[in-house]
Amino acid sequence: MTSTPVPSTPQPNAQVQGFFDPATWTVTYVVHAGPGSACAIIDPVLDYDPKSGRTRTDSADRVVDYVRTHGLQVQWILETHAHADHLTAAPYLKRQLGGQVAIGNHITQVQKVFKGLFNLEPGFPVDGSQFDQLLADGQALRVGDLVGEVMFVPGHTPACMAYRFGDAVFVGDTLFMPDVGTARADFPGGDARALYASVRRLLALPPATRLFMCHDYPPGGRPVAFETTVAEQRERNIHVHDGVTEAEFVALRTRRDATLEMPVLILPAVQVNIRAGEMPPKEANGTAYLKIPVDAL
Ligand SMILES: [Fe+2]
């Protein structure tokens, strides 16, 4: 006897608002099901001036305004990975708006590596406990009526996650826009082969799937853009369009990575982001300090 199929509840379409930060080329997203609904904030930016060591919250405040204007309730503040190009505003947004700060469960690996590199205080935990939640591959993520899924997409870092809500996927640093290609894979724990596999996994989603980039570095004066589709990426991505083999990609990625300088903010960004965005403990004079390892990175 066959059972009557249960009609699946229609999922509301994920509405997505992107906020581009021209200082770090980063896109912060708010994903929700409409005004008054729950929302998730993805990859928020804390403004940081490396010349003065000063932080500002202009970028984060734009997100706060958007959330308040649309009457959204923040359920999650999601990091796709421990970013090397900006500091996260997760703790600030949590204080302003609430929500749980979450990142992929492999962050522990990144914490171990950088605890060593920065010679952090002995009590610095490398179990991810600075975050409210650690997310695992395949885990369901509920944002009000939206049901999301966590996708483990390592390669750029060993801990990268993408977040899928219906037909909208926040790809983190895996793919960039088709005319830019892919993220670098030469940071500690990065792996071009793993990145290729992660990209193929994303590009196996239905062709009309909307893909939201974490960054845009527009070439040749084209306007900033951060939304594309699986079909567009498969057809036109300069590094990983259909037909590019793993060996070809790894060779290209490795060659290109050898030419790239470290991101301007990698040293401040990583040591703050592995603390879920908190500054290091204040010293006796009440000031927090960031470290610069000499000849170590
Ligand atoms: Fe990154």
Side-chain angles (χ1 to χ4, degrees):
M1 188 188 140
T2 56
S3 58
T4 316
V6 180
S8 60
T9 323
Q11 294 291 314
N13 232 357
Q15 297 191 24
V16 178
Q17 179 66 47
F19 299 83
F20 181 73
D21 169 34
T24 65
W25 313 93
T26 303
V27 191
T28 298
Y29 292 100
V30 177
V31 56
H32 60 92
S37 71
C39 75
I41 297 169
I42 302 173
D43 290 335
V45 173
L46 181 72
D47 307 307
Y48 176 75
D49 173 18
K51 299 187 289 300
S52 62
R54 282 230 160 246
T55 63
R56 290 189 339 274
T57 58
D58 303 9
S59 294
D61 286 332
R62 279 195 286 278
V63 177
V64 172
D65 284 351
Y66 178 85
V67 165
R68 293 207 171 123
T69 304
H70 292 80
L72 303 173
Q73 296 95 47
V74 178
Q75 209 161 341
W76 293 100
I77 300 170
L78 302 172
E79 302 286 357
T80 54
H81 61 293
H83 302 274
D85 42 52
H86 67 269
L87 283 64
T88 173
Y92 174 75
L93 288 173
K94 183 180 171 177
R95 284 194 294 276
Q96 298 293 313
L97 299 168
Q100 298 268 293
V101 179
I103 197 164
N105 53 358
H106 295 272
I107 189 65
T108 54
Q109 247 171 281
V110 178
Q111 289 179 321
K112 278 179 202 121
V113 169
F114 285 102
K115 180 177 185 177
L117 182 86
F118 286 111
N119 193 29
L120 297 180
E121 67 276 10
F124 178 84
V126 291
D127 59 1
S129 55
Q130 298 90 339
F131 297 84
D132 297 317
Q133 297 246 11
L134 298 185
L135 303 170
D137 185 49
Q139 189 174 331
L141 208 54
R142 197 168 266 285
V143 177
D145 294 337
L146 295 174
V147 182
E149 183 202 354
V150 178
M151 297 175 74
F152 183 41
V153 289
H156 169 66
T157 79
C160 291
M161 291 295 188
Y163 300 109
R164 185 173 74 82
F165 295 92
D167 75 335
V169 184
F170 301 89
V171 301
D173 285 5
T174 52
L175 291 156
F176 293 145
M177 292 301 280
D179 57 357
V180 184
T182 54
R184 65 195 296 173
D186 61 334
F187 293 152
D191 180 342
R193 202 160 270 110
L195 180 59
Y196 182 83
S198 294
V199 163
R200 294 323 313 176
R201 184 179 177 199
L202 290 168
L203 297 187
L205 291 165
T209 304
R210 296 180 287 162
L211 301 179
F212 294 91
M213 310 299 108
C214 184
H215 295 288
D216 188 38
Y217 309 94
R222 84 143 157 73
V224 168
F226 36 80
E227 177 179 350
T228 175
T229 63
V230 165
E232 279 178 1
Q233 293 282 20
R234 290 181 61 167
E235 192 189 319
R236 297 196 283 114
N237 186 289
I238 58 169
H239 296 165
V240 283
H241 59 80
D242 280 358
V244 176
T245 66
E246 181 195 80
E248 286 166 344
F249 174 75
V250 170
L252 176 150
R253 190 64 266 171
T254 308
R255 244 185 356 257
R256 175 154 169 70
D257 286 349
T259 71
L260 299 176
E261 289 186 7
M262 282 294 141
V264 177
L265 295 185
I266 186 170
L267 293 170
V270 170
Q271 58 192 299
V272 170
N273 293 340
I274 60 173
R275 296 179 191 270
E278 298 292 352
M279 294 296 159
K282 288 181 175 163
E283 299 196 3
N285 64 355
T287 301
Y289 291 81
L290 295 170
K291 284 185 169 182
I292 297 181
V294 177
D295 293 333
L297 188 65

